[in-house]
Amino acid sequence: MQFTHYGGEAALLAVDLVNTTVTGTPFTPASLEPLLAARGTARRSLTAAEAAEVEAWSHRLAPCFGPQDPRRRREAVNGLLAEAASKPYITVHDGHDPHLHYADPALGPVAHIRAVTAAALAHVICFAGHSRLGTCARARCGLAFVDTSRNGRRAYCSVRCANNDAVARHRRRDTD
């Protein structure tokens, strides 16, 4: 999978937001700031009300991950795109080459987060394949991930979950 900003970092931001919900981590300005910084979000200082809006958005992102009918996933992402209602435009700043921005900076950081995460999920579906938006196959985990593997067959959120699941399967075979 080509890892551009919108197909990569913004998609991983969507994963981070969904996983924050899955793990039960509170959505506070302090907890979101490092997460947004790690994914290259320029405006990452949020108010408590904005953090609550991001939490609500994360609940909208969650159904886009995991095994499902491609049509259902497209409809979910199309709903996000419509809700984000962004107007992409070309910009040049900070010495960068021309690139797309998906939300007017005047609309604030929440509009930006919504626009880039919706666009990123659409980018993954269109350019990498709908099944690349997965959830961990290990029971009791359920974390979301973007499958960046070469063959697109990743089933676990991490090597640790894959190993733990393999050990559990091995132990079950030994007791049978």
Side-chain angles (χ1 to χ4, degrees):
M1 177 180 151
Q2 284 282 45
F3 231 59
T4 63
H5 178 72
Y6 291 109
E9 289 302 315
L12 294 176
L13 175 59
V15 167
D16 291 342
L17 294 175
V18 169
N19 289 343
T20 298
T21 300
V22 171
T23 61
T25 304
F27 278 76
T28 64
S31 68
L32 288 173
E33 190 167 350
L35 185 147
L36 296 172
R39 299 297 174 209
T41 304
R43 295 177 64 194
R44 50 187 169 258
S45 204
L46 304 177
T47 65
E50 289 169 333
E53 287 183 65
V54 172
E55 180 176 15
W57 184 249
S58 74
H59 290 285
R60 298 270 293 121
L61 293 169
C64 298
F65 292 87
Q68 60 188 276
D69 177 67
R71 187 172 140 253
R72 181 173 165 243
R73 189 183 324 265
R74 283 192 309 271
E75 288 171 356
V77 172
N78 280 334
L80 294 174
L81 290 167
E83 193 173 331
S86 65
K87 294 182 181 178
Y89 64 95
I90 300 170
T91 185
V92 178
H93 58 86
D94 301 331
H96 292 273
D97 291 332
H99 60 279
L100 286 174
H101 275 201
Y102 283 87
D104 182 347
L107 297 176
V110 175
H112 171 77
I113 291 166
R114 290 167 56 141
V116 299
T117 54
L121 296 183
H123 181 89
V124 171
I125 290 169
C126 291
F127 299 108
H130 84 94
S131 62
R132 299 281 184 150
L133 300 173
T135 52
C136 189
R138 180 174 168 236
R140 301 185 325 254
C141 180
L143 291 179
F145 62 87
V146 176
D147 181 356
T148 59
S149 68
R150 177 169 271 166
N151 67 4
R153 299 197 192 284
R154 183 172 160 191
Y156 298 94
C157 68
S158 66
V159 172
R160 181 179 184 168
C161 272
N163 289 342
N164 287 345
D165 206 36
V167 167
R169 283 192 314 273
H170 177 74
R171 288 182 179 156
R172 279 194 302 273
R173 278 193 302 265
D174 283 350
T175 61
D176 289 341

